[in-house]
Amino acid sequence: RGRKGDDPDYASGDDSDGDVSVDDDQSVALRRINPSGKPPEAGIIVKVYVENFMCHKKMSVDLCSNINFINGQNGSGKSAVLAAIQICLGAGAARTNRAKSLQTLINHNGKATHAKIRVKLLNKGSDAFQHDTYGDYVTVERIIDRGGGGGYKLLDYQDKVRSKKKADLDAMLDLFNIQVENPVAVLDQEESKKFLMGKQEDKYAFFCKATELERIDRQYISTLDHVEDLEIQRGAMMKSLRPQAEVVQKLKGEWDECQKLDKIESKITKCRIHAAWALVNDQESADAAVMHKRDRIQEEHAKLEEKLRKHEENPPSEEAAQADDEKLKQLTDEANKAKEYKDELERELKQKKKPQQRLMTDVSQLKKELKRTEKNLKASKANLQEARDAFLNKKGSNESEKAKIVEKQKELEEAIEANEDKHKKYAKKLDEVVESYEAKTEDMEELEEGAKRLYGQMKDKEGLIKELNSQGGSTNLAVFGSKAPLLVKLVQRAMEKGAFKGQVYGPVGALLKMKAGKEKWAKLVEVAIQPLALSTFILDNEADMMVMKRLRKETQCRTHELPLLYMSPGPRYDVRALNVQGIETALSVLDVKKDIIFNFLCDNQRAERKGLAPSKSVSEDKLITMQNGKRVSQVDECYFAPSGDHWQLKNGNLSIRSNTRPLVSNIGKDTDAALKEARDEHKELEDEHRAKRTEIGTLKKTIAEEKKLWNQYNKSAKSLASDIQEQKEELRGLAEELEENAEDDEEEDNTELLKEVEEDEEKVSELKKEIEEKEAKIDEEAPEVEKLESKHEEEEVRNQKITAEIDEIIARIEEGASLRQNWKEKLEKGKRKLASMAVDLTAAEEEVNKLQSNVDSMIKVAKTLLWKEERLLKKKKRRMRAIQGHKKGDGSDDDDDDDDGHDSDDDDDDVREPTDAELEGVDRPRVQKAASYFVSRIETFEEDLERERKKHKITEGDMKAVWHKYKRAKDNLSKVKEGMDRVDSTISKMRDDLKVRRKRWRHFRKHIAEMTNLTFGEMLNKKGSSGLVEFDHKNKSLGLTVQKDSNEASQTSDVKALSGGERSFTTLSLLLALGENLETPFRVMDEFDVFLDAVSRKIALTTLVEVASAMVHRQFIFITPQDLSRLTPGPNLKIIKMRAPDRGGGVQTTLD
C-alpha cells in the first residue's frame, strides 16, 4: 500500500523543485482569517481558565489582542497555560510533552477527581463561527476525568452549552485556521529545544510539518492507495460481465421473431404522417401570394446590407497616411540635423563676432578719448594764438617775412581745425552706426534664440500629437496593460449574458480622475500608486472569481498582468484629511466615485498615508517634526517633484529612494481633448515662429546696410586723418623756420603753451593711430564674419523650406483624417437607414404572420399527429434496437425521444399531448402526393398486419413479455458496463488530479522555501548579520549559512561553530521566518530565548515585538522566565507576571 516508487510524479517530486510553475487559474486561493491592517475579529484567545490542572488549582489569564508575555520563574506554571490551550483545542497529552495521558495532568495535590479547562475565543466580524448561535464569543470547555471520562463543550457568549460534538469543534478550528498541532503555531519547550539543538534532518522535518507539506504528502499517498483499490474493484466487475452478456444474446434471438410485425406497423405510421402533411400542403398553396411584399422588403434590405458591407470593406487607404508619416519622420530628422548645423553656425558666428565687437567697443572708447583730446588741443592752440597775437602787436609789423610765416601758420591751423571738425563729425556718425549695429545685433540674437525655443516647442507638440493619434479614442485602456482593452470587452459581453453575479470594477486606473485644480499632482500620484494596482480588476462577489479567471486566461495574460482581487463591498472608509498647506496625499488629489475603489486604495496602497510635495525640502519642513528627541512624520512616505523620488521615516531614520520609472500622466486622461489642445498650441507656436523668422530677415538686411555705411564713414575719416597729419607736418616746419628768424629778436616766451599744444597733438596722433590699427583689424576679420553670416542665412532659408514641407505634410495628414471621418459618418448613416428598413421589415413580417395564422393552426394539428405517431413508432423501434445492443446517446435517430423524461417504456401505448417546445422540434417531411393516396395505403397495410398476426398467433401481450425480459437483462448488463466506465473515469481523473496536485505541492514547497529564505535574511540583518537557508529536498535536510558581520571570513555553514546565543538567535530567526507564512490567528512560543545571551535576547525581544506590532491582526503569546523590564506594556502589549512558586508544596492559584 502506498507504493511511492510506482508513481513517477512522486519519485521525481522530492529531488528538486526545478522550474516549477502552475497556471494562474490553478493557483491556490488562500483563505485569510482577520485581514491585515486592523485588529483581529475572530479566532484569537480572550481568556484561559483552568481548575485542578497541573500545578494550578484555579487560574484565569486574560490576554490582549496583539502581544502577550507570560513571565515567571521556573515552576511557576507558565507552561501550564500553553498546555491548557493545546489540550482544550483538541491536542493529545503527548503533544504537550508533559504527560503520556490526560489523567496525569490532573492536579495531584488534594482530592480532585477531574480537571476543567476553558479557552474563550473572539467570534466577531465576517469570519465569525455561527454568530447567530454563539454570539461575539465562543468558549471551548474540556473536562478531564480520572476515570477516563470527559469531553468537549462549546459555550456561547452567555456560557450556555450549545454543542458537545467534536465535529463542531473541528469545524470551528478549521474556519479559524487554528493549528495547535503545528509547532510553528504552538511551540512548546520540547519542540523549541529540539528545533534549537536538532540536526539538519530534524529541522527539515520541522519545516515540512510546520508548513503542512508533510500532511499533504500523506494525503497524496492515501489517494494513491485509493486508486489501487478502485483498480481491484474494476477487475472483479470484469469477471461478472461475461455470463450476463450470454443471457442477453439468448433473449435477442427470441425477440427477432417479433420484430417482423413492427415493420408493417412502421409503414402504417409513416403513411399517417404523410397524409397529415399532405393536407397542410394543400392549405399552404393557397396562401403563397401574401408573401410578395415581405420578400420585396427583404430584397431591398439585403441590397443595402451588401452596399454597406462593400463600403465597410473599402475604407480610405492608410498607405498614403503611412507614407506621409514616414516622410514627416524623415523631414523631422532632417530638420533636427539642419537645426543642429544652424545652431553650430550661430555659435561659431557669435564666437567670431566677439573679438570684432570688442574691437568696435575699443574704437568707440578711443574715439571718445580722441574727442576730448582734440577739444583740449583746440583750447591750447587758441591760447598759443592769443600769445602770438599779443607778441606781434607788441613788436609791430616790421618783419614782414615773419608776419607771412605767422599768417601761413594761422591758415594751416585753421585748415587743420576745419578738417578736424569734419573728422569729428565722421567719428560721431561712426559711433552712432556702431551703437545701432551693436543694438540690432543683440536684438537679432534674442530673436534667433526665441525662434530656436519656439522651434523646439513645436517639435515637442508634434511628438505629442503623433503619440495621441497613435492611441486613438477618448479612453486609452492600453496604458494600464496591453491586454486591458480586450479583457474589458470580454467582461462587458459576459455581463450582458448574465455570467456575473456581482459587479466587476477595472482596471482601477480607468476609474480614477484628478480633482479639479489638482492636475499638477498627476505624475507624482502615478508614482505613489503602483502600476500593478492601477491595472487591477476588483470583484465584489467571490463566486465570480472563476469566471474572471477564465476570461483572463482567454486574453493570454502573463502571471502578474491584470491581477484579480476580491473585496467585500462596504461603506466608504472615514479617512482623516492631512491639513498641511502645500502638501497633498495620493488619495486627496483623486476623484474616486466608487466606494470599493476608494477602500481598495486605502487597504492595498495606503494612499491616504502617502504624501505629495513640490520639493524634498518643503516636504521635510512641513511633515517632519521632533517629539521626545525623535523625528516623526505625519505620513508613512512622501513623494516629491521633480523626479518622483520619495522618502520614508522609520524609527527616526530617514531613507530616500530614487524613482527609476519615467513620469507619466494616464489617470483621467481625455485623449480627444488633449489632441485638440495640442493641435491648437502647435498652430499658435507655428504662427509665432514664422513671425520671428520674418522679423529676423528684415533685421539682417538693416544690419548689412549699416555695415556698408560704416565702411563709407570709416574710409572718409581715414582720408581726413591723413590730410590733417600732412598739414600738421607743414605747420611744424613753419614753426622751425620762424624760430630760426627770431634768434636775434626778443625771445617770445611761449614754451609752455607750445609744449602743451605739442603734447595734445602727440596724444591725438597716438589715439588716431590706435584707432586706425583697431579698425584695420576689424576690416581684416569682417570677410570671415560676413562669410559665416551668409552661411547662416542660407541655412535659415533651408530650415524654412523644410518647415514649409513639414507643414504641407501635416496638412495632408489632417486632410486624410478628415476623409476617414467622412467615411465613418457615411457608414453610420447607412447603418441608421438599415435599422429603419429593419423596422419596416418587421412590420411586413407581422402582416405575413397574421395571414398565415390559418396555416399555422393546421401545421400545429399536423405536427401533433406526427409527434404522437412518431412516439408510438419509436417505442416499438426501441424494443427492436434494444436487442441489437445500442446505447442511448450512441448517435442514432431515436436516441432523443425520451430526453424530457415522458413516455417511458411501459405497456400503455396511449401518448400524451405534446408541449409547444416539443412541437418546435418536429421536422416537416417532404410530401408531394395527395392525402387520398396515403389513406388508401394505410387501409392496405392494416389488412396485411391483421393477416400476419393470425398466421403466427402472436398477440401484443406476448411481444411485450419478450421485450420486457430482454429489456431487464439488457439494463442489468448496461448498469455493470456503466459502473466500469465510472470506475475507469474516476481512476483517470484521480491520476490526472494527482499529477496536478503534486505539481502544486512542489510549487508551494518552492514558494515557502523562497519566502522563508527572504524573511530569514531580514531577521538576521537586525543584528548586523546575514544568512541563507539551504533546502536539500532530495536528502530531506535543512542547513543554515550565517555570516556574523560584513567580513566574509565570518561566514560559516556549521551552526555548531556559533556560540549558544548566536545559534539560538539564528534558529529563532528561522522560526520567525517560517511563521510569517502561517495564517493562524494566534501563535504561542514557550522559552524561545532559553539559550540566548543578553545581547541576542535583547535583539530577539525587539525583533519579536516589532514583527508582532506590525501584525496587529494576529495574536502572539510568548512564554519566558527571563527579565522583561525593558518592555513597556501598552494597549497592544501585555505582560502577565506569574506568582513565584511555593517550594513548600503549595498549589499555584493566582496571578500577580
Side-chain angles (χ1 to χ4, degrees):
R1 308 300 291 241
R3 296 173 295 175
K4 295 184 284 187
D6 295 341
D7 183 5
D9 290 310
Y10 187 92
S12 63
D14 289 329
D15 291 340
S16 172
D17 289 329
D19 295 329
V20 178
S21 64
V22 293
D23 295 336
D24 291 335
D25 57 352
Q26 294 177 338
S27 300
V28 179
L30 298 176
R31 177 177 58 79
R32 295 183 177 272
I33 187 79
N34 296 327
S36 61
K38 58 182 181 179
E41 295 180 334
I44 67 168
I45 301 174
V46 179
K47 184 176 183 180
V48 179
Y49 172 79
V50 299
E51 287 184 16
N52 300 321
F53 183 73
M54 296 179 68
C55 65
H56 298 285
K57 186 175 181 181
K58 283 188 178 182
M59 181 187 68
S60 178
V61 179
D62 294 318
L63 302 173
C64 77
S65 63
N66 190 205
I67 307 173
N68 300 272
F69 281 91
I70 300 178
N71 181 246
Q73 301 177 15
N74 290 331
S76 60
K78 305 184 302 300
S79 297
V81 179
L82 170 60
I85 293 172
Q86 291 176 297
I87 295 298
C88 194
L89 296 182
R95 178 65 184 87
T96 66
N97 292 309
R98 294 284 176 173
K100 294 183 179 180
S101 66
L102 293 175
Q103 285 71 29
T104 57
L105 295 174
I106 300 174
N107 187 282
H108 59 277
N109 294 325
K111 299 179 181 180
T113 61
H114 69 277
K116 178 192 290 185
I117 312 170
R118 282 188 175 181
V119 175
K120 188 175 185 180
L121 302 175
L122 189 63
N123 191 45
K124 298 180 179 179
S126 60
D127 294 315
F129 175 70
Q130 298 181 15
H131 189 271
D132 294 341
T133 302
Y134 292 94
D136 290 344
Y137 298 96
V138 179
T139 301
V140 183
E141 178 181 291
R142 188 171 187 182
I143 303 297
I144 305 173
D145 193 87
R146 288 193 186 276
Y152 294 96
K153 295 179 182 178
L154 295 183
L155 286 67
D156 63 10
Y157 71 104
Q158 294 178 335
D159 291 339
K160 293 181 181 180
V161 178
R162 293 292 186 175
S163 176
K164 296 182 181 180
K165 297 179 181 179
K166 179 67 162 56
D168 289 342
L169 173 62
D170 292 339
M172 181 186 69
L173 296 178
D174 181 63
L175 175 65
F176 291 158
N177 200 22
I178 295 175
Q179 306 175 26
V180 293
E181 297 283 350
N182 193 319
V184 172
V186 179
L187 183 69
D188 56 29
Q189 292 181 18
E190 291 303 320
E191 289 288 349
S192 177
K193 292 175 182 177
K194 185 188 299 183
F195 186 71
L196 291 171
M197 307 303 293
K199 299 178 181 178
Q200 292 185 355
E201 290 76 9
D202 297 331
K203 286 183 173 60
Y204 186 85
F206 185 92
F207 163 75
C208 290
K209 185 176 182 181
T211 56
E212 296 206 316
L213 288 170
E214 179 185 12
R215 179 183 62 79
I216 298 171
D217 196 32
R218 288 199 303 270
Q219 288 181 348
Y220 177 83
I221 296 172
S222 175
T223 305
L224 201 60
D225 291 341
H226 184 57
V227 172
E228 293 177 357
D229 291 340
L230 287 174
E231 289 177 341
I232 294 172
Q233 181 182 350
R234 182 183 182 281
M237 294 173 70
M238 281 291 294
K239 292 180 181 179
S240 65
L241 191 64
R242 186 176 299 172
Q244 295 183 50
E246 293 175 353
V247 172
V248 171
Q249 189 64 29
K250 180 181 177 182
L251 292 173
K252 179 180 179 298
E254 297 178 5
W255 175 247
D256 287 340
E257 298 296 327
C258 299
Q259 63 181 351
K260 295 178 181 178
L261 296 177
D262 283 339
K263 292 181 180 179
I264 299 176
E265 291 179 348
S266 298
K267 292 180 180 179
I268 294 173
T269 301
K270 186 175 181 180
C271 286
R272 287 175 178 170
I273 292 170
H274 286 177
W277 285 106
L279 293 174
V280 172
N281 289 341
D282 293 341
Q283 181 63 36
E284 282 182 335
S285 61
D287 298 331
V290 297
M291 300 181 182
H292 176 70
K293 179 182 178 182
R294 182 197 60 188
D295 294 341
R296 180 178 56 79
I297 297 176
Q298 283 180 334
E299 182 180 356
E300 292 177 359
H301 186 272
K303 287 181 180 179
L304 183 56
E305 273 188 329
E306 179 65 19
K307 184 178 179 180
L308 283 179
R309 184 186 64 78
K310 290 181 179 179
H311 180 76
E312 197 167 4
E313 289 176 352
N314 294 279
S317 175
E318 296 286 343
E319 295 179 358
Q322 292 176 356
D324 285 339
D325 287 340
E326 291 296 326
K327 182 65 175 177
L328 180 61
K329 183 178 179 182
Q330 179 183 351
L331 288 175
T332 302
D333 292 339
E334 185 178 350
N336 290 334
K337 291 179 181 177
K339 178 180 176 297
E340 291 176 0
Y341 180 63
K342 176 173 159 291
D343 292 342
E344 184 179 352
L345 284 176
E346 287 178 352
R347 287 192 296 270
E348 187 177 355
L349 181 61
K350 192 173 183 180
Q351 195 67 27
K352 285 290 183 181
K353 282 184 176 180
K354 281 183 180 179
Q356 193 179 44
Q357 289 173 349
R358 284 196 297 268
L359 287 171
M360 287 183 176
T361 302
D362 293 342
V363 169
S364 178
Q365 295 296 328
L366 288 172
K367 286 183 177 180
K368 290 179 181 179
E369 180 68 20
L370 178 63
K371 187 176 181 180
R372 288 194 298 271
T373 305
E374 287 177 339
K375 186 177 180 181
N376 293 335
L377 177 61
K378 185 177 181 180
S380 299
K381 286 183 177 180
N383 293 335
L384 178 62
Q385 185 62 40
E386 287 178 2
R388 285 175 176 172
D389 291 342
F391 176 76
L392 290 175
N393 291 333
K394 182 179 179 181
K395 266 201 100 149
S397 54
N398 307 352
E399 303 175 7
S400 59
E401 187 174 323
K402 289 182 180 179
K404 290 178 181 179
I405 293 171
V406 170
E407 185 66 24
K408 183 67 174 178
Q409 285 178 330
K410 185 175 181 181
E411 291 175 358
L412 286 172
E413 286 172 351
E414 289 175 353
I416 290 172
E417 184 177 357
N419 287 335
E420 285 179 343
D421 289 338
K422 289 181 181 179
H423 189 274
K424 288 177 185 178
K425 291 179 181 179
Y426 282 121
K428 184 177 180 182
K429 290 180 179 180
L430 283 172
D431 291 342
E432 291 174 354
V433 170
V434 169
E435 185 177 355
S436 174
Y437 175 86
E438 291 176 347
K440 286 182 172 58
T441 302
E442 290 177 357
D443 292 341
M444 188 177 70
E445 289 176 350
E446 291 178 0
L447 287 171
E448 287 178 339
E449 188 67 28
K452 181 179 178 181
R453 183 173 61 257
L454 289 170
Y455 186 81
Q457 292 174 355
M458 285 171 58
K459 294 293 107 181
D460 293 341
K461 290 299 178 184
E462 287 170 3
L464 177 60
I465 291 170
K466 187 174 182 180
E467 179 184 355
L468 293 173
N469 276 325
S470 65
Q471 292 176 0
S474 60
T475 304
N476 186 18
L477 294 175
V479 298
F480 304 111
S482 59
K483 305 296 175 60
L486 177 58
L487 184 55
V488 169
K489 288 183 180 178
L490 293 177
V491 170
Q492 291 173 349
R493 292 175 186 171
M495 281 285 189
E496 293 172 357
K497 295 178 181 178
F500 288 102
K501 296 182 179 178
Q503 292 294 320
V504 179
Y505 307 90
V508 169
L511 303 177
L512 303 178
K513 291 187 180 297
M514 300 300 298
K515 288 184 178 178
K518 306 290 185 181
E519 294 81 0
K520 66 178 182 178
W521 303 104
K523 293 184 178 180
L524 274 186
V525 80
E526 288 205 37
V527 178
I529 299 177
Q530 299 300 318
L532 203 61
L534 294 175
S535 62
T536 298
F537 282 74
I538 300 175
L539 297 88
D540 61 7
N541 191 309
E542 193 170 10
D544 294 334
M545 185 61 75
M546 292 305 296
V547 178
M548 197 63 188
K549 284 183 178 180
R550 177 177 58 79
L551 296 179
R552 186 174 176 273
K553 187 175 182 181
E554 288 182 17
T555 62
Q556 298 181 349
C557 289
R558 296 187 298 274
T559 303
H560 300 295
E561 189 177 9
L562 304 180
L564 308 178
L565 178 68
Y566 162 68
M567 282 190 67
S568 299
R572 181 174 295 219
Y573 295 157
D574 186 9
V575 177
R576 182 173 62 89
L578 179 66
N579 294 320
V580 179
Q581 187 176 4
I583 305 293
E584 299 284 351
T585 66
L587 194 62
S588 66
V589 301
L590 291 174
D591 184 10
V592 188
K593 302 297 185 184
K594 302 291 184 181
D595 292 349
I596 196 169
I597 303 298
F598 185 92
N599 296 345
F600 165 77
L601 294 176
C602 295
D603 290 343
N604 187 275
Q605 291 294 303
R606 299 179 295 107
E608 80 282 6
R609 298 289 299 165
K610 292 182 177 180
L612 306 176
S615 67
K616 177 175 175 290
S617 58
V618 171
S619 65
E620 293 179 355
D621 292 342
K622 294 193 175 185
L623 293 176
I624 300 178
T625 58
M626 297 295 293
Q627 291 184 5
N628 299 327
K630 186 177 180 180
R631 292 189 294 182
V632 296
S633 171
Q634 299 183 48
V635 295
D636 294 341
E637 52 193 39
C638 184
Y639 295 77
F640 49 86
S643 303
D645 301 337
H646 75 279
W647 54 256
Q648 289 180 322
L649 187 64
K650 189 175 182 181
N651 296 328
N653 298 320
L654 186 68
S655 61
I656 299 177
R657 298 182 182 179
S658 299
N659 174 44
T660 58
R661 292 187 286 119
L663 296 180
V664 296
S665 177
N666 294 318
I667 293 178
K669 185 175 183 180
D670 188 340
T671 307
D672 288 343
L675 184 60
K676 183 179 183 303
E677 182 181 358
R679 284 174 174 167
D680 293 341
E681 291 177 356
H682 181 273
K683 183 66 169 57
E684 293 176 0
L685 290 170
E686 189 177 30
D687 294 341
E688 189 175 353
H689 181 266
R690 190 178 294 108
K692 289 275 186 187
R693 297 312 310 174
T694 302
E695 190 174 354
I696 288 172
T698 303
L699 197 58
K700 281 186 177 180
K701 292 179 181 178
T702 304
I703 290 173
E705 291 174 358
E706 288 186 346
K707 286 180 67 176
K708 292 179 181 179
L709 187 62
W710 182 85
N711 287 331
Q712 294 174 3
Y713 289 158
N714 189 45
K715 185 176 181 180
S716 300
K718 285 182 179 180
S719 177
L720 283 173
S722 177
D723 294 340
I724 291 170
Q725 187 65 28
E726 291 177 359
Q727 289 171 347
K728 284 183 177 180
E729 290 293 332
E730 185 180 357
L731 182 63
R732 196 175 294 112
L734 290 174
E736 291 176 355
E737 184 180 352
L738 186 63
E739 287 176 1
E740 291 176 357
N741 294 332
E743 286 180 355
D744 298 332
D745 296 333
E746 182 183 355
E747 289 290 333
E748 182 181 4
D749 192 10
N750 292 332
T751 307
E752 293 296 329
L753 293 173
L754 283 171
K755 184 178 181 182
E756 185 177 351
V757 169
E758 290 174 353
E759 289 176 353
D760 288 341
E761 287 178 343
E762 184 178 358
K763 188 174 182 181
V764 167
S765 177
E766 291 175 355
L767 288 172
K768 289 181 178 180
K769 184 178 181 181
E770 188 174 358
I771 289 171
E772 290 175 357
E773 291 174 353
K774 290 185 180 294
E775 288 176 343
K777 289 183 180 180
I778 292 173
D779 293 340
E780 290 176 2
E781 296 180 1
E784 190 172 355
V785 172
E786 291 174 356
K787 184 178 180 181
L788 285 174
E789 287 178 341
S790 176
K791 285 185 179 180
H792 183 270
E793 290 176 359
E794 291 175 0
E795 197 61 33
E796 180 66 29
V797 172
R798 180 180 172 223
N799 280 347
Q800 290 176 353
K801 182 177 179 182
I802 295 173
T803 302
E805 289 185 32
I806 290 175
D807 294 341
E808 182 181 351
I809 291 176
I810 291 176
R812 284 206 305 270
I813 291 174
E814 291 177 349
E815 182 181 358
S818 176
L819 287 175
R820 288 190 291 273
Q821 181 63 29
N822 292 336
W823 179 83
K824 288 181 181 178
E825 291 176 355
K826 187 175 181 181
L827 180 64
E828 292 298 325
K829 183 178 179 181
K831 287 183 178 180
R832 288 193 295 270
K833 184 176 181 181
L834 186 66
S836 175
M837 190 174 289
V839 173
D840 296 339
L841 181 61
T842 302
E845 288 284 359
E846 291 176 355
E847 184 179 359
V848 170
N849 291 337
K850 290 179 181 178
L851 295 173
Q852 283 187 324
S853 59
N854 292 334
V855 176
D856 291 341
S857 62
M858 291 190 66
I859 289 176
K860 184 174 181 180
V861 171
K863 283 188 174 183
T864 302
L865 178 61
L866 172 59
W867 189 86
K868 288 183 177 181
E869 292 294 340
E870 284 182 340
R871 302 299 276 192
L872 290 173
L873 179 60
K874 286 178 180 180
K875 279 188 176 185
K876 296 176 182 179
K877 281 187 176 182
R878 284 198 303 274
R879 295 169 187 167
M880 297 295 292
R881 294 181 59 79
I883 193 64
Q884 299 172 4
H886 290 286
K887 294 182 180 179
K888 190 171 184 179
D890 63 355
S892 62
D893 294 339
D894 301 320
D895 289 338
D896 59 349
D897 55 320
D898 278 338
D899 288 345
D900 58 357
H902 300 297
D903 295 338
S904 60
D905 298 322
D906 52 25
D907 295 334
D908 187 5
D909 284 341
D910 292 336
V911 180
R912 61 177 173 82
E913 292 295 322
T915 64
D916 291 339
E918 288 168 336
L919 290 178
E920 287 292 330
V922 175
D923 293 330
R924 178 173 177 172
R926 184 177 181 182
V927 178
Q928 295 179 343
K929 296 183 178 181
S932 58
Y933 168 79
F934 295 108
V935 172
S936 175
R937 296 285 292 170
I938 289 172
E939 293 174 354
T940 302
F941 288 139
E942 285 179 342
E943 292 175 358
D944 293 342
L945 178 63
E946 185 63 26
R947 187 167 51 251
E948 286 296 324
R949 282 179 176 172
K950 291 179 180 180
K951 179 180 178 181
H952 296 288
K953 298 181 180 180
I954 298 176
T955 64
E956 185 68 20
D958 293 335
M959 293 178 66
K960 290 182 178 180
V962 173
W963 181 80
H964 280 297
K965 283 181 67 177
Y966 167 73
K967 184 177 182 300
R968 283 193 296 270
K970 182 72 167 57
D971 289 346
N972 291 336
L973 181 62
S974 298
K975 288 179 180 178
V976 175
K977 289 183 177 180
E978 289 174 0
M980 288 183 61
D981 291 341
R982 286 195 297 271
V983 171
D984 288 340
S985 176
T986 301
I987 292 173
S988 176
K989 288 179 180 178
M990 290 182 72
R991 287 200 176 276
D992 291 342
D993 186 61
L994 282 174
K995 290 180 182 179
V996 174
R997 288 179 179 272
R998 198 62 186 174
K999 191 174 182 180
R1000 288 185 183 177
W1001 182 85
R1002 291 196 299 270
H1003 174 75
F1004 178 66
R1005 182 177 65 182
K1006 180 181 179 182
H1007 174 73
I1008 289 294
E1010 290 174 351
M1011 295 304 296
T1012 300
N1013 222 328
L1014 179 64
T1015 311
F1016 176 69
E1018 292 176 353
M1019 296 297 177
L1020 288 183
N1021 286 338
K1022 298 180 182 296
K1023 193 181 176 184
S1025 304
S1026 61
L1028 180 69
V1029 184
E1030 297 178 348
F1031 292 90
D1032 186 350
H1033 299 300
K1034 182 177 182 180
N1035 297 316
K1036 299 184 183 301
S1037 67
L1038 185 153
L1040 302 175
T1041 299
V1042 180
Q1043 185 173 318
K1044 298 179 183 179
D1045 48 37
S1046 59
N1047 186 5
E1048 292 186 0
S1050 65
Q1051 181 173 312
T1052 178
S1053 297
D1054 185 5
V1055 181
K1056 294 181 180 179
L1058 302 173
S1059 66
E1062 291 172 339
R1063 182 166 61 252
S1064 298
F1065 181 79
T1066 299
T1067 314
L1068 176 61
S1069 298
L1070 176 59
L1071 187 64
L1072 288 173
L1074 288 172
E1076 283 295 296
N1077 300 290
L1078 193 64
E1079 291 297 327
T1080 186
F1082 63 82
R1083 291 178 59 192
V1084 186
M1085 297 175 64
D1086 189 7
E1087 297 198 15
F1088 58 89
D1089 53 358
V1090 62
F1091 296 117
L1092 296 180
D1093 54 38
V1095 175
S1096 298
R1097 185 177 299 112
K1098 180 180 179 181
I1099 294 175
L1101 281 175
T1102 303
T1103 301
L1104 287 173
V1105 171
E1106 285 181 359
V1107 172
S1109 299
M1111 300 173 67
V1112 294
H1113 59 298
R1114 299 282 182 256
Q1115 184 184 47
F1116 295 85
I1117 303 171
F1118 304 114
I1119 302 174
T1120 177
Q1122 304 298 336
D1123 178 29
L1124 300 177
S1125 59
R1126 65 174 58 88
L1127 298 180
T1128 303
N1132 291 333
L1133 193 153
K1134 184 174 183 179
I1135 299 176
I1136 302 165
K1137 187 73 174 177
M1138 304 293 291
R1139 183 190 292 273
D1142 184 357
R1143 301 302 180 184
V1147 178
Q1148 187 76 12
T1149 59
T1150 60
L1151 302 176
D1152 290 339

